[in-house]
Structures are given as C-alpha cells and as structure tokens.
Amino acid sequence: MPDRPPRPTLRTVFFVSDGTGITAETLGHAVLTQFEQLQTRQQRLPFIDTPAKAREAAVRINEAQARDGLRPIVFSTLVEPEVADALRADTSGYVVEMFKAFVEPLEAELDMKSTHTMGRSHQISDSKQYKNRIEAINFTLAHDDGQSAKGLAEADVILVGVSRSGKTPTSLYLAMQYGVKAANYPLIPEDFERNTLPSALPTHKAKIFGLSIAPERLSEVRNERRPNSRYASIENCRYEVDAAERMMRREGIQWLSSTSKSIEEIAATIMQYVKLDRNGE
C-alpha cells in the first residue's frame, strides 16, 4: 500500500474583529503555537462592524480558500450577533468564535448578560490606565540607552546589560503593555575598566535588573548592525558578556539571559522580581 502523502501544513489564517484585531490576533497566536508543524499565512481584518463589512470579509476568506484549496482558519472576536452571523453564513472557512466560546458560558455561570459592546476593551483613551501608559512610554524613550540620568527616581525598573542584549525592546514592551516606567543603561568597556556600575545607578540598585545574552548570539546581532567590526567580534562579545555577568554577580543584581526567551517571558520575570503587580494602572 503506497504511503499517504504528507498533510499540507500551510494554512491561511484570518483574525477578524469589530475593533483593532489585537485581541483576536493575540488569542489566535496563543492557540496556533500549540501546532509546531503548522505554517501560516496571516491576515488581520479589523473594524468589521456591520453585516456588509462581514460579507466583504467573507469574500476575502473564500478567495483564500479557492487559492489554497484548503479552508482558512478564522479567529473571530465579533461581538454583534448580526455581524457574526453574516460572516459565518457567507464563508466556508473554519470559524473560531472566541467571544462565543468564552462569554456565553460566563453569562450562564454568572447569571447575567454581557454588554455585547463592540470594541469595548479598547475604549480607554480617557482612562487612567491609558494615560499611565503614555507617560511610561515617554519616560522610557527619554531614558533609553543611558540618554539621561534625570528623573531616575521615578523609574519603576532600570535594565542593565551589554549593548544589543535586548534592553530597549523589553523596556518599550513594559511601558506599552503595563505602563511601567523603564530606563535602560548599557554596560560598556569603560565600566568594566573602572569595575563599577555607571555612576548614576548605585543609588537605585533596588530597581536594577540585568539582561545578558550568549556571546555567539550577541555577535550575530551586532554583525547585522556593524559587520566585521571589533564591536561585533566573537572575542569582544565573549569579553563583554563575561565582564558584565561578573559585575552583576558582584553587585548582587538579579539577571537573566535573553538568548532563548521571548520579550513576554523576560517582561513577566522582571514584573515578578521588582514586584510590579499591575497592568498599567
């Protein structure tokens, strides 16, 4: 009996929402990561807030099916029943209705009806949480890469580590996602020669968290920025990483390696360590 041909693993995935689509995409990604062999072509369809727009979205989904020969996967966070019904009726894609899966069972458990308000999770422009996030982003941008020591007392966390170890993206993620005022300082050869932290930092040691990285990965990252330079050489990367880790151990600074961790994992660890138990409030 001939072997069965391998199942195709490339699927088109749509994230359909009556708002920005961020919730649909976040939840959808969380589910898709459970299927390691799956390869996807992804499209976000935001602001689908009328039956007419839902039917237009259905046309695009059906076109993808005709092209691929496989049903697209559709993650939907449409709340308005008429809009969700229009999408479901006009497409043969495999529709995963995220709110239907979660909200309706909760309505039964709580014995109350939800608001069924479109885009409710993103109506925050005048909220304290939103304002805190904007302030945190401005603070973080002003204190990126050791630009300024002014106002460090306001920082919730100060990240240290060698250049290109992931400090800037982690700082911005903390600010945008959680409203955390995050400063970051690079540890440079002059610091290692003096064998001390940058002069602005010792008085704020309780807020400091360190990031390190495997020298091999650091060399790859730096070569993308400054190819064939001493800055990117594996020998220099090994020296800087070793010196930075020794300094952090000596100073009693908690640190982790960013080599194989996502920004989300790094941020969660930092939030737990510095006891920032909030969500931008």
Side-chain angles (χ1 to χ4, degrees):
M1 183 176 180
D3 292 337
R4 180 176 297 176
R7 182 185 297 272
T9 56
L10 178 63
R11 299 289 284 267
T12 299
V13 177
F14 288 89
F15 305 103
V16 183
S17 172
D18 49 34
T20 62
I22 293 173
T23 301
E25 197 165 356
T26 301
L27 293 172
H29 282 165
V31 173
L32 292 173
T33 56
Q34 304 303 311
F35 302 91
E36 294 181 357
Q37 295 181 337
L38 181 66
Q39 298 177 10
T40 61
R41 180 190 297 112
Q42 301 181 5
Q43 296 184 45
R44 188 193 297 181
L45 301 181
F47 308 118
I48 307 300
D49 52 8
T50 67
K53 290 181 180 179
R55 287 188 286 270
E56 291 173 4
V59 169
R60 294 182 60 177
I61 295 166
N62 294 340
E63 288 173 348
Q65 179 168 346
R67 180 194 64 223
D68 299 343
L70 291 167
R71 283 202 298 174
I73 307 299
V74 182
F75 290 100
S76 167
T77 53
L78 299 176
V79 176
E80 180 60 46
E82 289 184 3
V83 180
D85 290 345
L87 178 73
R88 194 186 318 109
D90 283 13
T91 182
S92 55
Y94 184 77
V95 181
V96 181
E97 297 185 85
M98 311 298 278
F99 282 173
K100 187 179 182 68
F102 300 123
V103 174
E104 289 186 5
L106 272 174
E107 286 180 332
E109 173 64 24
L110 298 172
D111 193 25
M112 66 175 65
K113 285 291 183 181
S114 65
T115 60
H116 285 256
T117 302
M118 294 185 291
R120 188 174 181 84
S121 63
H122 302 290
Q123 294 174 352
I124 58 173
S125 59
D126 60 349
S127 71
K128 180 181 177 182
Q129 183 184 56
Y130 182 83
K131 291 175 182 177
N132 286 348
R133 291 217 314 256
I134 296 300
E135 289 178 5
I137 292 167
N138 289 333
F139 179 92
T140 297
L141 289 173
H143 294 82
D144 180 44
D145 209 26
Q147 289 182 66
S148 173
K150 185 178 179 180
L152 276 183
E154 298 177 30
D156 296 308
V157 65
I158 302 169
L159 302 183
V160 298
V162 298
S163 172
R164 314 305 289 180
S165 59
K167 300 183 302 302
T168 294
T170 301
S171 297
L172 288 172
Y173 181 86
L174 285 166
M176 290 188 289
Q177 188 72 17
Y178 298 108
V180 168
K181 292 181 177 178
N184 74 74
Y185 266 75
L187 298 177
I188 59 177
E190 287 80 357
D191 298 319
F192 306 141
E193 291 169 8
R194 293 194 308 268
N195 205 27
T196 60
L197 289 168
S199 60
L201 299 186
T203 56
H204 305 289
K205 192 180 290 187
K207 300 178 180 180
I208 297 177
F209 193 94
L211 295 183
S212 189
I213 187 172
E216 295 77 14
R217 176 58 183 154
L218 180 61
S219 180
E220 290 177 9
V221 173
R222 288 182 172 183
N223 265 300
E224 293 174 1
R225 186 179 181 90
R226 290 167 54 183
N228 303 316
S229 63
R230 169 166 173 71
Y231 168 76
S233 70
I234 187 63
E235 293 81 8
N236 184 59
C237 290
R238 284 173 179 155
Y239 163 72
E240 289 194 23
V241 169
D242 178 67
E245 290 182 357
R246 281 191 285 108
M247 179 181 289
M248 290 188 286
R249 282 194 291 267
R250 186 183 66 251
E251 297 288 342
I253 294 170
Q254 180 75 21
W255 58 275
L256 60 77
S257 174
S258 64
T259 309
S260 59
K261 292 186 180 297
S262 67
I263 290 176
E264 292 86 353
E265 289 178 291
I266 296 169
T269 301
I270 292 170
M271 294 283 287
Q272 183 179 41
Y273 177 73
V274 296
K275 298 179 173 59
L276 293 170
D277 184 18
R278 70 171 186 272
N279 188 22
E281 297 178 353

